[in-house]
Amino acid sequence: MQKLVYFVRHGQTDWNAEGRLQGQADTDLNATGRQQASRNGDLLRELVPDPTRFDFVSSPLRRTRQTMERIRAAMGLEADGYRTDPRLMELHFGDWQGHTFAELEALEPGCYERRERDKWGFVPPGAGAESYASLAERVRPFFEDIAADTICVAHGGILRSVLWLTNTMTPAECAAMSVPQDRILRLRNGVAEWL
């Protein structure tokens, strides 16, 4: 892929601050997250001299839409001038959504260690739950369909998928990494780089 793509993780939510697994639960940005989104918008305004030639796309979850709208406002654009794509929704954590690992360990001792043994391939219990491996396959068609320079707001799992799909990192490295909410991942000429 030769398109220029800026990937942004949504800003912080209260659940992020508490260490809760959000997955596809629909949460809102907190004050820190709103500031992060606006700062990323300020940086994109500097990086993108002509935003009219970019496609703007977001996960449909509220925290990503709120991030996209703050980014677009910081770039001097109409806040709602973007589209959403359900393929960009976060990894579904099944029954684990809404819990911290401390809470899960109290309910199911050893669950954290079981996940860590193969974090990329691990599927939490519960209907709809996904592994990072299955998430990456869900994201692959979106990634392959990118036809224009793009600004994309999504989730930590999506950015992990992008880093794997571009052969930037191994599955184990992608699963283990911490995905920042105050930086931008630029993909240019197939090379991924944090800004």
Side-chain angles (χ1 to χ4, degrees), residues 89-100:
M89 289 178 69
E90 180 59 296
L91 174 84
H92 196 302
F93 279 102
D95 294 344
W96 286 12
Q97 286 184 173
H99 295 281
T100 66

Side-chain angles (χ1 to χ4, degrees), residues 38-143:
S38 294
R39 280 197 310 271
N40 281 333
D42 290 340
L43 177 55
L44 285 166
R45 185 181 64 240
E46 295 172 18
L47 294 168
V48 178
D50 181 10
T52 61
R53 68 181 187 82
F54 276 72
D55 183 23
F56 287 79
V57 61
S58 170
S59 157
L61 296 176
R62 281 196 317 266
R63 60 192 182 268
T64 48
R65 289 186 289 112
Q66 290 167 358
T67 299
M68 176 64 88
E69 288 164 14
R70 294 187 79 85
I71 284 172
R72 287 183 57 84
M75 295 177 75
L77 301 168
E78 292 290 326
D80 62 355
Y82 65 96
R83 63 187 179 90
T84 62
D85 191 313
R87 296 175 293 183
L88 294 173
M89 289 178 69
E90 180 59 296
L91 174 84
H92 196 302
F93 279 102
D95 294 344
W96 286 12
Q97 286 184 173
H99 295 281
T100 66
F101 275 111
E103 292 168 351
L104 291 169
E105 279 292 319
L107 295 168
E108 188 185 341
C111 67
Y112 180 80
E113 181 184 322
R114 283 193 299 279
R115 180 177 186 245
E116 289 300 302
R117 282 197 292 263
D118 177 19
K119 195 172 177 181
W120 187 256
F122 182 83
V123 180
E130 298 174 287
S131 66
Y132 284 122
S134 59
L135 173 65
E137 291 308 317
R138 170 161 54 87
V139 172
R140 182 189 299 274
F142 168 83
F143 186 73

